[in-house]
Amino acid sequence: RALASKDERYAFYRPELNDGVYERFRFENALRRALERDELIVYYQPQASLATGQLIGFEALLRWQHPELGLIPPGRFIGLAEETGMVLPIGERVLRLACEQSMAWQREGLRAVPVSVNLSARQFSERIVDTVAKTLAETGLEPKLLELELTESASMEDPQKTVDILCKLKEMGVRLAIDDFGTGYSNLNYLKRFPVDRLKLDQSFVRDLTSDPDDLAIARAVIAMGHGLRLDVIAEGVETEGQLALLAQHGCDEVQGYLFGRPAAPDDCGRMLREEKALALDKLQPQPYHR
Ligand code: C2E
Ligand code: MG
Ligand code: MG
Ligand code: MG
C-alpha cells in the first residue's frame, strides 16, 4: 500500500517518466486501483440560463480523490487514461454516477435536473450507444435529462462515424453538445449534419472577452452560427460580470463558470437545488389579503 502510493506520487511529480513502458504500466494500475476503491468521483458545475438566471443543469466533472495527494483534476490524468484505455471503464463510471445523482436528487424531492457528461474520443464508438442505453435503463433516468458532450476535435476525427453514432444517441432521446467549440477544425458540411442541441463556446474566447475585440468577434460569430443552425449556445469559463454582460448583449443563451458556481461535490449542489426550491416557494407564499 505504502509502495503503491509512492509510485503514484512519483508518476505525478515526474510526468516525463510516464513515457516509459514501466511507468505507464504502474500508472494504469494506480488508476485501476483508484476505480476499485471509488476514488474516482464526480463534481458538478451549475449551468444557468441568461434569460431567466435559473439553474438549468449540471456538468459532471471527473476528479481523483487521492488518499495522499488530495483532489486531482482530470487534466492531470485523463490523457494517460485515454492512452491506456482506462478511459473506457472510467467513462462508464462517470456516466453511471451522473445518472444516479440526477435520480437521487429527484428522490429527495428536488426537481429533475439535467446532467451533462463528457465523452472522450476513445469512448466514441458503437459501444457507447449500448452503454448509454443500458445506463439509462438501469438507473431509470429519463433520456432527455442526460446530455453527452463531445469535443469539436473528437467529433471531426471521423465525422461520418460521428454522424452515425450521434444519430443513434439522438434517437434514444438524449441531448447532445459540442464541447470546446471554436478550438477544433470544424468541417461545417458535417457540423450541419450532427443532430446536436447545443454548442459550448470554449472558455479561451471568453477569458479576454472584455478586452480583446477579436475574441468578441469570434464569440458573436459562434452565437450567430449556432442560432442559425437552431442550436443553443452556452459560454464556458464565465468568471466576471463584464463577460456576462457582453454575452447577454450578444444573445448567448446560457453560461457556465466560476461566476455562477465552481464545480462542487454533490451535497453542495443538492443544497443549491434546495435553496432554489425554497426561493421559489417563498415567491408562492400567499400574499396578505387587503381590502
Ligand atoms: P471541459 O469539459 O471543457 O470542462 C470545463 C472545464 O473548465 C472544467 O475543468 C471546469 O472546472 C473548468 N471551468 C469551469 N468554469 C471555469 C471558469 O470560470 N474559469 C476557469 N478558468 N475554468 C473553469 P476540469 O474539471 O478540470 O476539467 C477539464 C477537462 O477534463 C474538461 O473540460 C473535460 O474535457 C475533461 N473531463 C472532465 N471530466 C471528464 C470525464 O468524465 N470524461 C472525460 N473524457 N473527460 C473529462
Ligand atoms: Mg465539457
Ligand atoms: Mg469545454
Ligand atoms: Mg475545455
Side-chain angles (χ1 to χ4, degrees), residues 34-77:
L35 196 56
E36 283 163 6
R37 293 173 184 162
D38 290 328
E39 290 169 14
L40 297 180
I41 60 169
V42 178
Y43 267 31
Y44 296 88
Q45 185 177 34
Q47 303 175 333
S49 155
L50 266 171
T52 66
Q54 291 295 301
L55 192 156
I56 50 156
F58 286 105
E59 178 172 6
L61 294 161
L62 177 63
R63 299 287 182 267
W64 183 347
Q65 180 69 70
H66 194 285
E68 278 98 31
L69 303 176
L71 204 61
I72 305 171
R76 301 277 294 281
F77 60 91

Side-chain angles (χ1 to χ4, degrees), residues 20-176:
V21 172
Y22 178 57
E23 282 69 26
R24 229 166 247 271
F25 174 71
R26 285 199 309 194
F27 180 85
E28 191 180 336
N29 281 325
L31 259 183
R32 185 166 289 122
R33 276 197 308 275
L35 196 56
E36 283 163 6
R37 293 173 184 162
D38 290 328
E39 290 169 14
L40 297 180
I41 60 169
V42 178
Y43 267 31
Y44 296 88
Q45 185 177 34
Q47 303 175 333
S49 155
L50 266 171
T52 66
Q54 291 295 301
L55 192 156
I56 50 156
F58 286 105
E59 178 172 6
L61 294 161
L62 177 63
R63 299 287 182 267
W64 183 347
Q65 180 69 70
H66 194 285
E68 278 98 31
L69 303 176
L71 204 61
I72 305 171
R76 301 277 294 281
F77 60 91
I78 205 84
L80 267 159
E82 282 177 343
E83 286 177 39
T84 56
M86 280 301 289
V87 78
L88 297 173
I90 291 173
E92 290 187 8
R93 177 71 59 86
V94 173
L95 179 67
R96 174 164 301 262
L97 288 172
C99 293
E100 285 174 351
Q101 187 58 66
S102 184
M103 287 302 287
W105 283 323
Q106 287 184 56
R107 289 202 188 94
E108 282 176 43
L110 299 168
R111 73 175 160 102
V113 64
V115 285
S116 305
V117 173
N118 293 283
L119 295 181
S120 92
R122 265 305 279 265
Q123 283 174 277
F124 202 72
S125 67
E126 288 291 333
R127 177 172 156 179
I128 193 66
V129 180
D130 295 334
T131 302
V132 170
K134 187 162 168 272
T135 308
L136 288 171
E138 288 175 5
T139 60
L141 188 73
E142 265 187 282
K144 67 171 189 203
L145 292 178
L146 176 65
E147 180 179 68
L148 299 171
E149 298 188 5
L150 184 66
T151 63
E152 185 189 17
S153 30
S155 71
M156 291 301 165
E157 273 177 22
D158 183 347
Q160 183 53 55
K161 188 183 93 180
T162 302
V163 172
D164 295 343
I165 297 174
L166 288 180
C167 285
K168 289 183 184 152
L169 290 168
K170 193 72 236 174
E171 271 169 33
M172 243 182 261
V174 303
R175 286 171 50 87
L176 301 167

Side-chain angles (χ1 to χ4, degrees), residues 59 118 149 151 179-181 183 202-204 236:
E59 178 172 6
N118 293 283
E149 298 188 5
T151 63
D179 202 358
D180 300 346
F181 192 79
T183 61
D202 190 69
Q203 53 189 43
S204 59
E236 298 191 88

